[in-house]
Amino acid sequence: MQIAVLGAGVIGLASAYYLNRAGHQVIVIDRHGEVAAETSLGNGGQLSYSYVAPLAGPGILSKLPTWLARRDSPVRFRPSVSAEQWLWCLKFALACTNRRSNLTTRELLSLSFASRALMHQFLRDEPTLDFDFQHSGKLVLHRDADAMRGAIDLLDFQRSLGCEQEALSAAECVALEPALADVRERIVGGIYTRSEDTADCHRFSTGLEAILRARGVQFSMNTHIDALDVAKGGHIVAHGGGRALDADHIVVATGASATHLLQPLGLHVPVYPLKGYSLTYPLGPQAIAPTLSVTDFARKVVYARLGDRLRVAGMADLDGYSLKPDPSRIAALRAEAATLFPQVVAGHADATEWTGLRPATPRGAPIIGPTRFPNLWLNIGHGALGFTLASGSAALLTGWIDGKPDPSLSSLFTLTR
Ligand SMILES: Cc1cc2nc3c(=O)[nH]c(=O)nc-3n(C[C@H](O)[C@H](O)[C@H](O)COP(=O)(O)OP(=O)(O)OC[C@H]3O[C@@H](n4cnc5c(N)ncnc54)[C@H](O)[C@@H]3O)c2cc1C
């Protein structure tokens, strides 16, 4: 079958990979000249299979007033007149229950474990592709005793879902990750997960593009999809680059832009941008930088070593679709990095700054699967986990299009939920 994948971010490219391997003729269409030019460009580099709990959790609403009052807080909300934003916030608030959050965590873990197995298979299938992949392991640091106790309480729940994690004292954290030696006094402990990976999402995406081109997948770059129209029998045709792009099936993988593309069809998907930032520090040969993936739990900042660079990412700003960076947020991220890894940051005013829009759903689960239009499929809304979940989401979608949906996953991520 001929399948058009709209969007050449990590989700669209992974979709193209699994569809092509299933024997389909695939064309990938994107408005940019290069793949992964938007949110898949500078993300945190975490393949965070065990840390998928949604932002919408029972503790979050009580933290919001403090966070919203601080300019350097991890989450920020800039109210607008947009009904779309307020509706998203309402749905987010309704998802902040224990029951909902636990259910979403279970669902996402199924998808992330499937993604981990597929990523490891991908590494065996494509052994020459270098995208700074490391079986790094992950250390989530806690700065206060209450938070550490809460994390220890969660260990049993996480273990019951298949995560292998252990609680470490501050001294054990430093023994495992010596780059934390300078901040030994600031941390009370951490949770270590051996099975987490890190990699460069942009290098993964450009590598995938090369593999796809070699396998005969077509690319129509610099092609903006202006509209999706309904033709005879409810068949959807995409319009872009001055022509109608007809295909047996169309997969929408346009990240944070999906909402506006789908709205005219009467498909109201709750995907809204959560703006984030990253900094990439070059590392000299003698740099004292982490080799483990590190998360600063209180500040919601992640650190990943990507070859000879340190990627620092964080901040979640609900302030619309603009990609304009806010200098105060960049400064706050720089200050976080300087606190935890002063030796990396010292003398590196030249870190590369980046801003991206997480395609976030209120309850934190992506929307993957069919729509009421027979040839239109969605693979959107991966929020803060798009790199982590890309392989599983793409394989799930491929199974669905082929009429062989994975029974353990296919009921979880449909538009109807
Ligand atoms: C600061 C930050 C840190 C993050 N850290 C991590 C992390 O550590 N681990 C992780 O798993 N995830 C992380 N994420 C999330 C992850 O980056 C995203 O979930 C993922 O990149 C989304 O991929 P996507 O393909 O859906 O969207 P995108 O990468 O944005 O791709 C969508 C593509 O669609 C194209 N497009 C859109 N509209 C149209 C149109 N009308 N016509 C043609 N083309 C169109 C765009 O040009 C774009 O190329 C992070 C995100 C941010 C912002």
Side-chain angles (χ1 to χ4, degrees):
M1 278 188 294
Q2 273 202 320
I3 303 185
V5 176
L6 312 185
V10 70
I11 299 297
L13 292 165
S15 304
Y17 180 74
Y18 288 99
L19 287 166
N20 169 267
R21 284 183 59 130
H24 299 294
Q25 262 184 287
V26 181
I27 178 166
V28 179
I29 300 164
D30 200 285
R31 60 189 170 193
H32 291 284
E34 286 167 9
V35 305
E38 296 200 3
T39 314
S40 305
L41 178 60
N43 70 25
Q46 314 279 315
L47 291 162
S48 186
Y49 311 110
S50 301
Y51 279 95
V52 296
L55 185 60
I60 194 96
L61 293 179
S62 59
K63 281 189 195 145
L64 280 182
T66 327
W67 278 352
L68 299 181
R70 290 180 52 169
R71 285 185 72 76
D72 64 346
S73 72
V75 178
R76 215 169 64 170
F77 173 49
R78 189 170 289 165
S80 77
V81 289
S82 139
E84 189 190 344
Q85 188 197 51
W86 286 99
L87 197 60
W88 191 95
C89 289
L90 178 66
K91 288 183 175 166
F92 177 86
L94 293 174
C96 288
T97 65
N98 223 344
R99 200 189 70 82
R100 202 67 187 142
S101 162
N102 284 351
L103 184 69
T104 306
T105 304
R106 278 175 205 278
E107 292 175 354
L108 289 177
L109 279 176
S110 321
L111 189 59
S112 71
F113 289 167
S115 298
R116 177 171 57 197
L118 288 165
M119 176 58 93
H120 292 174
Q121 183 59 48
F122 175 83
L123 291 165
R124 289 190 289 276
D125 291 344
E126 312 289 349
T128 55
L129 191 69
D130 179 6
F131 54 105
D132 296 317
F133 180 93
Q134 287 294 328
H135 293 297
S136 53
K138 184 184 191 68
L139 185 58
V140 177
L141 297 175
H142 290 281
R143 296 189 189 204
D144 70 81
D146 276 354
M148 185 66 199
R149 261 193 303 276
I152 290 172
D153 289 347
L154 262 183
L155 279 185
D156 281 343
F157 175 64
Q158 289 271 116
R159 247 183 234 124
S160 73
L161 300 175
C163 305
E164 291 160 27
Q165 300 178 312
E166 51 192 300
L168 303 182
S169 67
E172 287 169 324
C173 289
V174 176
L176 197 65
E177 180 45 80
L180 291 168
D182 284 350
V183 292
R184 158 80 182 76
E185 301 308 322
R186 287 175 184 260
I187 54 180
V188 298
I191 304 294
Y192 175 55
T193 314
R194 193 181 297 272
S195 54
E196 303 285 81
D197 302 329
T198 44
D200 184 329
C201 183
H202 182 251
R203 292 194 73 197
F204 174 71
S205 302
T206 52
L208 260 188
E209 179 196 7
I211 291 168
L212 291 172
R213 284 189 188 273
R215 292 178 65 97
V217 169
Q218 308 255 298
F219 282 78
S220 176
M221 305 304 288
N222 294 309
T223 305
H224 188 280
I225 299 297
D226 304 312
L228 298 174
D229 280 348
V230 190
K232 239 171 134 188
H235 185 90
I236 296 294
V237 177
H239 294 271
R243 62 199 167 109
L245 300 150
D246 200 0
D248 296 321
H249 291 286
I250 293 177
V251 174
V252 174
T254 50
S257 308
T259 308
H260 294 162
L261 191 61
L262 294 167
Q263 238 161 24
L265 295 175
L267 293 176
H268 299 286
V269 291
V271 176
Y272 194 76
L274 260 188
K275 189 194 275 188
Y277 293 88
S278 77
L279 297 167
T280 307
Y281 290 90
L283 298 174
Q286 308 300 327
I288 302 176
T291 51
L292 279 179
S293 147
V294 172
T295 296
D296 184 340
F297 179 80
R299 309 303 298 151
K300 306 239 177 291
V301 176
V302 296
Y303 299 81
R305 192 174 191 141
L306 304 176
D308 56 3
R309 297 160 297 149
L310 182 70
R311 175 71 49 80
V312 182
M315 308 293 167
D317 295 357
L318 202 70
D319 67 356
Y321 286 83
S322 162
L323 267 170
K324 193 168 172 239
D326 176 341
S328 74
R329 302 299 271 163
I330 298 261
L333 196 57
R334 278 186 190 277
E336 296 296 343
T339 306
L340 214 54
F341 297 111
Q343 312 230 25
V344 174
V345 175
H348 276 306
D350 57 339
T352 307
E353 298 171 356
W354 175 81
T355 310
L357 302 176
R358 299 175 187 88
T361 61
R363 76 178 186 97
I367 301 165
I368 308 164
T371 65
R372 64 170 179 271
F373 301 98
N375 71 328
L376 185 69
W377 303 81
L378 306 183
N379 196 359
I380 55 174
H382 294 76
L385 290 168
F387 189 21
T388 305
L389 302 178
S391 311
S393 305
L396 174 61
L397 178 89
T398 301
W400 224 320
I401 291 179
D402 281 345
K404 296 178 279 192
D406 179 335
S408 64
L409 294 172
S410 56
S411 63
L412 305 179
F413 300 100
T414 65
L415 180 58
T416 51
R417 291 175 60 93

